[in-house]
Amino acid sequence: MKDILIKNNIKSPFQGVSAGHKSWKGGGDTFSIKSPVDGKNIGRVKGGSSADFDKVIKKAESAFKEWRLMPAPQRGEVVRQFGEGLRKQKQALGELVSYEMGKSLQEGLGEVQEMIDICDFAVGLSRQLYGLQMHSERPEHRMMEQWHPLGVVGIISAFNFPVAVWAWNTALAWVSGNVCIWKPSEKTPFTALACQEIMKKVIKKNKLPEGICSVIIGGRDIGAQMASNPRVALVSATGSTRMGKSIAKIVAARLGKTILELGGNNAVIISQNADLSHAVPAVVFGAVGTCGQRCTSTRRLIIHESQYDSMIEKLVKAYGQLKIGSPLNEANHVGPLIDKDAVKAYQKTIKQAISQGGKVLSGNEVLSGEKFKSGCYIKPTIIEAKSDLKMVKHETFAPILYVMKYSTIEEAFEIQNNVPQGLSSSIFTLNIRESEKFLSVAGSDCGIANVNIGTSGAEIGGAFGGEKETGGGRESGSDAWKAYMRRQTCTLNYGEGLPLAQGIKFEL
Ligand code: NAD
């Protein structure tokens, strides 16, 4: 472990708040971090206090005055250098992500690759922050819109994607001319400090103000402070729907802006026309990958009655072959849950689902023994359920897959949409009518709709996010950058007269 910290240039586990070049000890709560992989202590981190938060905001505001004046392509060059820094540290940072969060090393490295990819995307974007030009109804007038940065962007992130989601936000926010303050999950502060170290070097090399990139370690109290502070123009928050509802209210009360990326309850439809040789591995990966702790994890499987028995038999067989153990060992398919509270939530959900009429087909076991000594390892679970079972509508952040039957495709869409969340969805079918209906307005109501691939694993080129209780926010690709900027409509009169709009006359 010491090696991983050294590779990430984290010299003191007591670093608390770090804003740019100087890291200092925060004056808030202390967080003791244990790895879910082996239960060993990673270190303790002193979080930031209210006073520390004020200091970070002041530095950010002062940095904004300089950063916003730098031409966008030059800001893109700084982001390019950050991407280069990530390329150099990919292995070390990927290992730290895996060790601190508990996802497989391949997924840890994949998460860092996503950061690199979004930097590349943002570099190109820095030359494409286009505004439209409109024809004015008045002669010799020009009308156009342009985009300016918002100012200080606050980023609150969840434990399950401890670094990639921050990068999605920050790379776009930076090229748009904003400065960013990051409050990472209190469960994964070391990965955040490692990212800060990488960007610190870039900031120093380019002689830029340190407040462009700040991190403040803390729990929900610091998150709430970020939400209520009118000096934070945009709060981009990723996490549970409970957290999103709380933040949305606070930010709306001050008429601030939010991007909300909240809980999912993602379903896969297996039609009578599905190719099961593709569907089975896609569903297993979607349901058990990252130990069911992706916002896009597959949580519900809606199977046509003609395929039901065959699909269940194949799934149960595949679950029986899963290797569970340290995520740092590539031979294992499933690593641990984040902590013992998550294990309790897994047990409680299964108990409740059984009491509501669900039947366990596989799993329902907390693993013990030397190999599983962190106490966070469990068996992925399949539960047969009716679609109206109460627990089916609820997101539990664990590998619990509810399976259910349907008879008509319309019924499958109805079941798929009949949950409060609206993040990711997928259908397996070789029938073009079914796939087109699924993508039509009468099909999936989610932010992400896939055909013949699973629910998880989004590419950075598309806008990422979901509807309903998932919060409605969009991040990453497409035109998601617009949420980090303010639109200004400008009209310019280069003529000799002063004509008014709508032909109004005002003679003096
Ligand atoms: P969480 O809501 O417990 O915490 C997320 C972050 O919000 C943390 O930094 C936490 O300190 C902060 N926070 C929590 N309550 C807060 C409050 N009342 N005010 C201000 N800040 C608060 O979530 P988690 O357990 O870290 O992550 C799992 C959840 O995140 C799941 O619901 C998952 O679906 C969701 N998630 C969504 C996406 C997405 O893009 N839609 C991506 C990743 C995770």
Side-chain angles (χ1 to χ4, degrees):
M1 180 57 227
K2 211 172 152 205
D3 285 354
I4 296 179
L5 291 179
I6 290 166
K7 272 196 237 168
N8 281 284
N9 199 19
I10 295 184
K11 291 171 201 113
S12 159
F14 292 96
Q15 271 172 313
V17 183
S18 161
H21 299 304
K22 278 184 205 130
S23 301
W24 76 87
K25 204 166 147 180
D29 299 336
T30 300
F31 298 93
S32 293
I33 307 299
K34 275 191 175 78
S35 169
V37 175
D38 54 15
K40 288 190 182 149
N41 280 323
I42 297 181
R44 283 192 297 152
V45 184
K46 195 94 173 116
S49 63
S50 297
D52 294 325
F53 186 70
D54 271 353
K55 275 190 222 157
V56 170
I57 291 249
K58 272 194 193 118
K59 283 201 168 172
E61 281 181 327
S62 139
F64 177 58
K65 291 203 173 112
E66 185 177 334
W67 183 241
R68 67 182 174 178
L69 297 179
M70 196 181 217
Q74 283 182 29
R75 294 194 294 254
E77 167 55 20
V78 174
V79 172
R80 191 194 64 75
Q81 290 176 30
F82 177 57
E84 282 304 301
L86 289 170
R87 277 186 174 88
K88 284 194 196 125
Q89 299 287 346
K90 182 174 170 184
Q91 185 66 28
L93 187 56
E95 281 173 24
L96 185 60
V97 167
S98 175
Y99 191 66
E100 188 175 41
M101 185 274 159
K103 61 174 64 177
S104 77
L105 179 56
Q106 281 311 303
E107 288 174 309
L109 294 170
E111 197 172 334
V112 182
Q113 186 58 47
E114 267 189 47
M115 301 172 81
I116 294 168
D117 292 344
I118 196 71
C119 286
D120 287 350
F121 181 91
V123 175
L125 183 67
S126 70
R127 293 181 185 268
Q128 298 174 73
L129 301 167
Y130 301 136
L132 295 173
Q133 176 144 320
M134 300 86 177
H135 285 274
S136 169
E137 64 187 44
R138 287 170 277 186
E140 298 186 307
H141 278 57
R142 188 157 70 85
M143 188 157 65
M144 61 180 182
E145 62 185 18
Q146 53 181 1
W147 294 85
H148 290 310
L150 296 171
V152 178
V153 171
I155 300 161
I156 297 173
S157 59
F159 78 85
N160 66 325
F161 273 91
V163 288
V165 169
W166 166 73
W168 288 2
N169 279 281
T170 213
L172 263 54
W174 278 337
V175 294
S176 303
N178 302 286
V179 294
C180 298
I181 302 176
W182 180 14
K183 193 211 84 60
S185 167
E186 59 275 36
K187 295 178 184 177
T188 52
F190 284 105
T191 44
L193 291 173
C195 293
Q196 186 74 7
E197 290 295 322
I198 296 170
M199 186 58 184
K200 245 163 77 170
K201 284 197 189 122
V202 177
I203 287 180
K204 202 170 175 184
K205 189 173 154 212
N206 290 277
K207 299 189 176 58
L208 289 166
E210 53 190 43
I212 292 168
C213 173
S214 309
V215 60
I216 182 147
I217 304 299
R220 52 180 69 172
D221 49 334
I222 291 288
Q225 210 175 325
M226 190 177 256
S228 62
N229 196 318
R231 290 151 76 192
V232 181
L234 167 69
V235 179
S236 178
T238 302
S240 57
T241 295
R242 174 196 49 73
M243 174 279 287
K245 284 184 177 170
S246 163
I247 284 193
K249 230 192 266 171
I250 300 172
V251 182
R254 62 173 174 89
L255 301 181
K257 291 185 196 305
T258 50
I259 298 175
L260 297 174
E261 298 282 354
L262 312 174
N265 191 351
N266 319 295
V268 172
I269 297 171
I270 308 288
S271 104
Q272 72 263 46
N273 302 301
D275 177 347
L276 295 193
S277 72
H278 285 178
V280 173
V283 168
V284 176
F285 174 71
V288 313
T290 327
C291 201
Q293 298 170 110
R294 286 187 182 210
C295 49
T296 51
S297 289
T298 307
R299 309 209 179 275
R300 298 177 295 139
L301 196 55
I302 306 162
I303 312 170
H304 189 263
E305 54 199 5
S306 65
Q307 298 266 41
Y308 191 81
D309 291 345
S310 167
M311 183 72 193
I312 294 297
E313 191 193 323
K314 288 180 169 54
L315 260 188
V316 171
K317 194 169 161 211
Y319 269 55
Q321 290 166 356
L322 290 173
K323 291 201 185 78
I324 305 169
S326 168
L328 295 165
N329 177 350
E330 268 185 48
N332 291 323
H333 302 106
V334 184
L337 286 169
I338 182 72
D339 54 23
K340 287 186 184 161
D341 283 345
V343 174
K344 278 190 207 141
Y346 159 89
Q347 289 174 301
K348 192 172 160 199
T349 297
I350 297 173
K351 211 167 152 195
Q352 281 177 310
I354 294 170
S355 75
Q356 290 164 13
K359 185 176 155 203
V360 174
L361 302 182
S362 178
N364 188 17
E365 191 180 332
V366 177
L367 299 166
S368 55
E370 183 54 24
K371 201 174 142 196
F372 307 117
K373 67 175 179 229
S374 71
C376 301
Y377 291 85
I378 49 91
K379 275 197 177 171
T381 299
I382 304 174
I383 300 178
E384 188 172 56
K386 294 264 184 312
S387 65
D388 58 358
L389 189 133
K390 220 169 140 199
M391 290 316 289
V392 170
K393 312 224 164 178
H394 175 81
E395 179 201 45
T396 301
F397 226 46
I400 300 171
L401 180 68
Y402 298 103
V403 294
M404 57 206 79
K405 276 185 200 165
Y406 79 87
S407 357
T408 66
I409 198 71
E410 289 74 22
E411 189 196 346
F413 297 163
E414 177 72 31
I415 296 171
Q416 129 81 40
N417 292 339
N418 193 17
V419 291
Q421 309 82 354
L423 182 52
S424 186
S425 58
S426 137
I427 188 169
F428 276 83
T429 178
L430 298 178
N431 179 310
I432 195 168
R433 283 195 185 137
E434 281 182 343
S435 61
E436 286 295 331
K437 278 185 187 168
F438 178 71
L439 299 179
S440 79
V441 66
S444 166
D445 65 358
C446 292
I448 297 166
N450 295 333
V451 176
N452 293 328
I453 59 165
T455 55
S456 68
E459 293 182 31
I460 60 105
F464 181 89
E467 302 302 326
K468 303 191 289 187
E469 285 196 358
T470 303
R474 290 297 184 276
E475 287 171 356
S476 193
S478 185
D479 63 352
W481 61 271
K482 289 182 177 168
Y484 302 87
M485 302 198 84
R486 61 184 168 87
R487 184 195 309 244
Q488 188 171 60
T489 304
C490 312
T491 312
L492 190 147
N493 176 3
Y494 59 88
E496 321 268 302
L498 189 67
L500 300 179
Q502 291 91 42
I504 292 171
K505 296 266 180 275
F506 185 73
E507 308 285 354
L508 284 178

